[in-house]
Each structure stands twice: as C-alpha cells, then as structure tokens.
Amino acid sequence: MHNKSVAELSRELESGKISSVELTRQFLGRLKKEDEQLNSFITITEEQALADAHAADEQRAAGKATLWTGVPFAHKDIFCTNGVSTTCGSKMLANFVPPYDATVTENFRKAGAVCLGKTNMDEFAMGSSTESSYFGATTNPWGLSQGEKRVPGGSSGGSAAAVAARLVPAATATDTGGSIRQPAALCGVTGLKPTYGRVSRYGMIAFASSLDQGGTMARTAEDNALMLNVMAGFDPKDSTSIDRDVPDYTATLTEPLKGLRIGLPKEYFTGNLSAAMEEQVRGAIREYEKLGATVKEVSLPHADLAIAAYYVIAPAEASANLSRFDGARYGYRCEDPKDLLDMYTRTRAEGFGTEVKRRILVGTYALSAGYFDAYYLKAQKVRRLIQQDFINAFKEVDVLMSPTTPSPAFIQGEKTSDPVTMYLEDVFTIAINLAGIPAMSVPAGFVDGLPVGLQIIGDYFSEARLLNAAHQFQQVTDWHQREPQ
C-alpha cells in the first residue's frame, strides 16, 4: 500500500479492500521502522491516528465518506494542531501545545483525513536544508544506498523526505522563498506553492508574513490537486486570504497541452546551473514540445536582484514576528531570571538557534532608524520591479519553466558554515515568492543518481493550469514514480 497514491488509496478504501485502521497501522509500522535513519518526523501521533482511522471507517460504513476519509498524511510542524505539540523545529516551542487548529489542519480534519504526525523542518522555516531544526537534521532518502547522508532541502525537508521514502502518501508544507519546491526537487517528489492568499495562514506560525504560503507535497500532480481542493479557500480569520471562488483542481488535469505557450527565462539558464542539470531540464521541456506546447525565450530583467531583496524583506518581517517569543506568555523561558531584562535576553539567546538569530539581527538592523529607507524601503521597490517582470512575461506566455535548484542534493554539513552559499540554493525560487505567484516543482530526471526538479511558474491563481501541465508530463514520464532504495 505504501507505493499507492492518495487517489489510489481512496479507491482501495472505497472498495472495502482495506479499512482505514488497517491502512493506518501499515503506514505507522513503516514510519516507525524507516524514520530512524531519516528523522523526517518530530512527532508521531499513533494513538490519535488510530482513533481517527476508526472514526473514518464508521463514516464510510454510514455512507458519509469524502475522497480523503481514512487516507493517511502528515502535517509540517508549523501548522497548529489542537492538543498536539507544534514546535516549528525550535527549542523555543519544544513544549508548545496549541489550544486550537490552524485552518489548514481543520480543513483536513473535516475531510476525514488521518494525520500520522508532524514533520521535521528548519527552525521557524528558516533554511534550505532542514539542518537547523532543534530536533536534528533530516536525511534525504536518496543517497543512503551509497552510504551518503544528503540534505532533503528546506525548510519543508521533513515533508519531502517522508513522501519520497513512502512513509506517507502526502504532507502539508509551507513556502517562503522556495521551501516547498526546493525540497520537492531534491527528494524527487511533486510540490506546489499556491498564489499568496489562496491558502489560509491562520494557525500557520509566521516567519515572513508577506511571503509565507501553505502548500502541498505528494508524489503526483493529481495528489497535489486533491490536497489543494481541501486547503484552498477564503478564511475570514486570515486578513491576507483572498475571497475568490475555488475551482475543482482535478477537473482540468486531463486537458491536452496543445497550444500551451512556455517561456524560458534566460536569466535562469546561466552560469548558476551545471551543464548536467540544464540538460535534464531541457530534456523535460522537449517532452512538452512533443505534447504540443510551444517554447520561447523570455526575460526577467531584475531576477538577479531577487536574493538581495529577499534577504532584507524576509529577515525584517521575521524580526517583527519573532519578537513575541520573549518568555512572558508561552514557549520556552529561561530558568531563574534575575529580572525582566534578564528573562528576555536569556530566553531568546537560549531558545533560538544560530540561523534564526542571524536573521533577527539582519532584520532588526534593516528596520532600525536611519537604515529603513536605505534597505527595507529599497528592497520593497525592487520587489515591485520583480513582480512587474512576471506580469510582463505572462502577456507573452502561459507558463514559465526553469530548473528548481542549481544543483542536486548536497552532503549534510557541506554548506552550514557559509550562509551565503546556502542562500544561493534558492536562486531560482525566491522571485516567485516576492511576486506572490504560484509555482510547482515536478521530478524531471537524475544527475549522479540524485533527483532533478523542473519548476513550472504560473500567473496569479493559475494553479489549475500548472497542475494540468504537471499531470500531462507525468503521463509520459516516470520520474515521479522512482523510489529511493
């Protein structure tokens, strides 16, 4: 059963060939056995999962099931789960148990899905390798057979590794600068970052509020569509949520691609990309041409400014968002503080990891008097130019395609001592978050036995078109079916 997709598992449950309790036990058994070498989960909710599975079987017996009823999945440990630890990968929240559900959590609960636990992540979603988690690094299942420990990408590396290793068929994730697409690419799975505001951020612990977006992680484009059907929609509890009708994202999956106009941003096929990676990506694009699509080169003139703008805006927003973790209300508090200032100082010094502290310092500096206009305001102006580049490009083409990452998964520890090199891992993904548009990564080949991702970028609210393009590609290729040994 672990090799079946969400759609296939739903059909198995509907036919009565297996019960949700039996299915959940199978996945829990595999998870507890295999995750010792991956560390893709922070929390496994075995007792709750079995109780939910039993309730799902009763729902099916009563004829009240939805497609998701009884299907196992996992949440990234950034979504609040009522009564279940939500750590955000940090010592600061290691013992935090929310008294409420995030909207995304609530939606899956109402759909009858069975959550097996919470997946590992970079602390407060700050990272590109899932090495900054307080609960230890996650290992990419690809490379283990050669005795190599490689990163799964980040910050949603736990979700990507779990899906790639067939520990769960699907998992929620979040994307602030590439944190769905980059790990999806490095782990050989399919991941979608929707348009900003398409999925509610209520109960999703904030990193950079104008960039964060919840999304999906699964092996197939069809499963991503099924997940987005549950997650998307207006939420009055989230002031950034968009009040717009939500289509059935599975309805257009099978539409032919004849006439699809694909743009290749010339700035994304440069010296940042190895020849082997470029060949795999261009090979995938040739498959689209066989399916009837046309390809042309386009330009994103301000693409080279994206990383610089992002690493002013994101740390600035993080500095503001993380100011709430002071030991006074919830989360970690230092022992025996001498006074209020000592409590603030030691709580934050002891509760946050190195990367989080680095970004708080950068962000606080950028927002400080005398530097706001020079850094933060300038970065926001650049952000508007980047957004306009995409608006102009979509006047000429329907979708853009590029590599998701400049290289395959790297060895653990290889880039932790050089944060700038680590930041460059997101060189092809960050601009999409600055513009607020949707994008996804689909498996498109291998380099040196490691997965390569093709990034498909769309105009605002064009998730259905992206999923259609990805699904049709997966009908003529089998990269998404490859399984790490």
Side-chain angles (χ1 to χ4, degrees):
M1 288 290 169
H2 70 271
N3 265 320
K4 293 185 181 294
S5 67
V6 169
E8 290 167 337
L9 290 173
S10 181
R11 289 193 287 269
E12 295 286 324
L13 289 165
E14 179 65 25
S15 69
K17 291 180 180 177
I18 191 169
S19 70
S20 179
V21 170
E22 292 169 328
L23 184 62
T24 300
R25 285 201 176 111
Q26 283 190 28
F27 272 100
L28 284 169
R30 180 175 173 81
L31 170 55
K32 288 187 287 185
K33 176 186 175 185
E34 300 293 344
D35 200 45
E36 290 181 6
Q37 58 183 334
L38 299 179
N39 194 35
S40 65
F41 275 72
I42 292 175
T43 304
I44 298 174
T45 53
E46 181 173 8
E47 187 176 329
Q48 183 64 53
L50 289 170
D52 290 345
H54 181 72
D57 285 335
E58 291 182 340
Q59 287 284 96
R60 285 200 178 273
K64 299 178 180 178
T66 71
L67 184 145
W68 275 94
T69 302
V71 177
F73 80 111
H75 277 303
K76 182 178 180 179
D77 203 18
I78 197 170
F79 291 101
C80 285
T81 41
N82 189 359
V84 177
S85 172
T86 301
T87 71
C88 220
S90 179
K91 179 179 180 180
M92 186 64 79
L93 291 175
N95 297 312
F96 175 60
V97 179
Y100 67 99
D101 277 332
T103 297
V104 166
T105 308
E106 183 181 352
N107 288 353
F108 274 103
R109 201 186 297 278
K110 287 179 178 177
V114 176
C115 180
L116 302 186
K118 311 291 288 292
T119 59
N120 203 0
M121 56 180 285
D122 279 302
E123 184 180 10
F124 283 102
M126 298 181 197
S128 304
S129 62
T130 315
E131 292 177 285
S132 70
S133 171
Y134 174 66
F135 301 92
T138 294
T139 300
N140 191 329
W142 291 96
L144 280 176
S145 60
Q146 287 81 40
E148 299 170 339
K149 284 199 166 188
R150 293 183 176 270
V151 303
S155 64
S156 307
S159 291
V163 172
R166 279 44 174 180
L167 306 186
V168 287
T172 58
T174 63
D175 195 309
T176 306
S179 291
I180 289 175
R181 291 157 289 151
Q182 189 243 16
L186 299 192
C187 291
V189 300
T190 307
L192 169 68
K193 182 207 90 71
T195 303
Y196 181 79
R198 180 82 283 190
V199 173
S200 172
R201 294 190 303 111
Y202 177 76
M204 189 179 94
I205 297 171
F207 160 20
S209 300
S210 74
L211 300 164
D212 297 342
Q213 183 58 67
T216 61
M217 196 90 76
R219 292 202 304 281
T220 69
E222 181 183 19
D223 284 358
N224 276 262
L226 294 172
M227 292 186 75
L228 194 59
N229 278 347
V230 174
M231 295 173 70
F234 175 66
D235 181 9
K237 292 179 284 189
D238 174 10
S239 62
T240 61
S241 179
I242 305 295
D243 191 358
R244 183 183 175 115
D245 289 342
V246 179
D248 176 0
Y249 291 105
T250 63
T252 55
L253 288 178
T254 58
E255 289 186 358
L257 297 185
K258 186 173 178 59
L260 180 73
R261 299 173 300 164
I262 298 172
L264 305 184
K266 64 181 182 181
E267 292 81 6
Y268 286 1
F269 291 86
T270 62
N272 290 322
L273 188 64
S274 72
M277 290 284 290
E278 181 171 352
E279 177 53 34
Q280 291 298 312
V281 171
R282 290 196 181 275
I285 292 165
R286 286 193 289 272
E287 291 294 334
Y288 277 99
E289 290 181 299
K290 294 176 187 176
L291 291 169
T294 59
V295 177
K296 67 176 291 187
E297 186 179 82
V298 297
S299 179
L300 302 173
H302 301 95
D304 62 326
L305 302 176
I307 287 183
Y310 176 89
Y311 280 103
V312 172
I313 295 168
E317 295 185 8
S319 170
N321 279 325
L322 272 61
S323 64
R324 71 194 67 175
F325 301 109
D326 54 12
R329 285 155 290 196
Y330 53 83
Y332 176 77
R333 178 186 291 177
C334 68
E335 292 186 7
D336 303 319
K338 292 181 290 186
D339 52 36
L340 192 62
L341 181 60
D342 182 53
M343 183 185 76
Y344 288 159
T345 305
R346 286 203 292 121
T347 292
R348 291 170 69 80
E350 296 168 15
F352 289 135
T354 302
E355 182 59 30
V356 173
K357 290 176 187 174
R358 180 184 292 120
R359 299 200 192 193
I360 290 173
L361 287 169
V362 170
T364 303
Y365 180 82
L367 292 174
S368 59
Y371 297 101
F372 182 88
D373 288 354
Y375 292 102
Y376 186 74
L377 188 60
K378 181 70 74 175
Q380 291 287 22
K381 290 178 178 178
V382 170
R383 180 182 192 171
R384 183 64 184 86
L385 294 174
I386 291 169
Q387 181 189 37
Q388 190 62 47
D389 286 348
F390 283 107
I391 291 171
N392 293 339
F394 288 121
K395 291 175 182 176
E396 302 179 41
V397 297
D398 299 315
V399 298
L400 301 173
M401 291 189 183
S402 76
T404 308
T405 62
S407 60
F410 50 92
I411 300 291
Q412 287 180 354
E414 186 179 314
K415 301 186 179 183
T416 50
S417 61
D418 186 353
V420 175
T421 303
M422 184 77 81
Y423 296 164
L424 291 172
E425 285 298 307
D426 296 326
V427 65
F428 300 133
T429 57
I430 276 176
I432 284 85
N433 295 81
L434 291 171
I437 55 179
M440 65 187 299
S441 180
V442 296
F446 287 83
V447 169
D448 298 328
L450 299 169
V452 172
L454 170 71
Q455 182 173 223
I456 312 174
I457 307 163
D459 203 354
Y460 297 98
F461 302 104
S462 64
E463 290 85 358
R465 173 173 280 164
L466 299 187
L467 289 161
N468 167 229
H471 180 72
Q472 290 302 304
F473 178 71
Q474 291 180 344
Q475 299 310 295
V476 296
T477 62
D478 67 351
W479 304 119
H480 62 290
Q481 296 174 351
R482 304 291 180 93
E483 182 178 1
Q485 299 302 312

